[in-house]
Amino acid sequence: MLKMDSPGDIFQSRLYRFNRVLLSLLGQWPFQKNRHRRIVFVTVSFLGITQAITQVLALVTLRGDLNATLECIPPLIVDCACIVKLVNLFCNMEKIKILLIHVQRDWQSWAIQSEFEILHKFAETGRSITIGYASGMYAFGCLFPVMAIIPKIIDENVVSNYSTRPVGFPYHVEYFVDLDKYYYPALIHNYLATAIRLTTIVASDTCVAILVQHCCALFSIVRYRLEHIRKSVEQDKELALLEEDNKIYKNFTYCIRKHEDALQFASLMETVYTKAFFIEVGLIIGAMSLSALEATSGSLTPQLAIRHGGYIMAQLLHLFIACWLGQEVIDHSSRVYTSIYRGEWYESSPKSRKLLNMMMLRSISPCTLTVGKIMVLSLPSFSAVVRASASYFTVFRSVQ
């Protein structure tokens, strides 16, 4: 069992340690010291933005070459998505801090052993998602730079077809300096920016994952209390001294409070991420369409196929996780309604049953995470976005 002596202890545990480290590397962990956070954030932002600027300059330089231009756009779209994620974290830091404090409070105030087990189960799931997602994104994301540097390692004299992308560079860049002279400083800058880009995506998305899992845990606690009324009453020491009917009544009032907590938690999450999701989904559609266009071009080599294939897989993983997390919120919030029926409500007094009516009415409409209030994130929306990307790819292919 976890023992917590201070509010921050839960985030020092193995359950959330990886998330804390990832956000701290970007200067976006709400509990960091302000000075340290600002230094890290400015450094990361400077490296990332200067990398994006060099890619924009390369795009301008190559504007007469359609194939090279198409190569420039997908990485630049990813840069835009990273900027959106970083800005969203920065602008909503106080709200994210409120959500994390909510998590701390719930870990300190569980009433029965079953609640602790539910919190632990969902936190473990969040940790597994974090590790799995990070592994996948870093693996797919590293294909671009790794496949770019291999020719340089094998043959130092190999040359590139483009001055904006010397051998070893994963993307087209334009520094307006002699890259033969400043090759290694520019290469290091590129690879550092790539690492920052991947860390931004992983840190932001896994932060959503642990918050969604905690939200689902709150709904599951309510469902357990409703479905196992007798067990809950027996485990809760505060209810042990009350009269029989008062025990059930107090259990139901506890469920209502917890349900309201879960609803507020889900609502605040939606507020934090809905605008960012709107921009990100649009960028993902464009990135996947253009990457697929490059991957099916006649001049594609096996090396480039692997790079673009990894890029597309990373985008699909990114999109799938967001939609799956949205589906989790829908499923767990809507199941409260059926849990009320499954419990031993018939043994309670009319006064207690009236409390359940309130919860049933609120549970009819499930909580959701949306894309700018336009589209609900869910598994059906994942297939819809993939189909949209395929449609745009077909259009681009016909125009090319």
Side-chain angles (χ1 to χ4, degrees), residues 77 279-291 315 319 375 384-393 396:
I77 289 175
I279 301 173
E280 287 173 34
V281 168
L283 292 172
I284 287 172
I285 291 174
M288 287 199 298
S289 302
L290 292 172
S291 295
Q315 294 300 322
L319 178 63
M375 181 180 74
V385 172
V386 173
R387 286 197 302 271
S389 300
S391 299
Y392 282 109
F393 161 70
F396 292 149

Side-chain angles (χ1 to χ4, degrees), residues 10 17-18 34 53 65 76 103 115 141 155 229 236 306 384 391 396:
I10 185 60
R17 185 183 298 123
F18 196 18
N34 287 335
I53 290 172
D65 188 329
L76 199 54
V103 173
E115 288 186 23
D155 183 5
I229 297 173
D236 197 328
I306 293 173
S391 299
F396 292 149

Side-chain angles (χ1 to χ4, degrees), residues 99-113:
L99 289 169
L100 293 174
I101 290 172
H102 197 303
V103 173
Q104 293 170 344
R105 187 196 69 192
D106 292 331
W107 275 98
Q108 291 178 323
S109 61
W110 52 271
I112 59 177
Q113 181 64 25

Side-chain angles (χ1 to χ4, degrees), residues 323-392:
C323 292
W324 179 75
L325 291 172
Q327 187 67 53
E328 286 281 281
V329 174
I330 293 170
D331 290 344
H332 282 83
S333 60
S334 61
R335 287 172 188 165
V336 173
Y337 187 89
T338 55
S339 293
I340 294 172
Y341 280 107
R342 292 177 182 174
E344 299 141 345
W345 55 268
Y346 46 83
E347 295 183 7
S348 62
S349 65
K351 174 184 163 184
S352 299
R353 290 176 205 168
K354 288 180 181 178
L355 296 176
L356 297 180
N357 292 336
M358 297 166 55
M359 292 186 66
M360 289 177 70
L361 287 171
R362 181 59 187 86
S363 301
I364 292 174
S365 300
C367 297
T368 58
L369 294 178
T370 66
V371 178
K373 306 289 185 183
I374 297 173
M375 181 180 74
V376 174
L377 281 175
S378 62
L379 293 180
S381 64
F382 171 75
S383 60
V385 172
V386 173
R387 286 197 302 271
S389 300
S391 299
Y392 282 109

Side-chain angles (χ1 to χ4, degrees), residues 15-16 66 243 272:
L15 295 172
Y16 299 105
L66 180 60
E243 295 180 4
V272 170

Side-chain angles (χ1 to χ4, degrees), residues 292-313:
L293 187 65
E294 286 187 67
T296 55
S297 65
S299 60
L300 190 70
T301 64
Q303 185 186 50
L304 288 175
I306 293 173
R307 289 172 63 189
H308 292 305
Y311 185 85
I312 293 170
M313 290 300 295

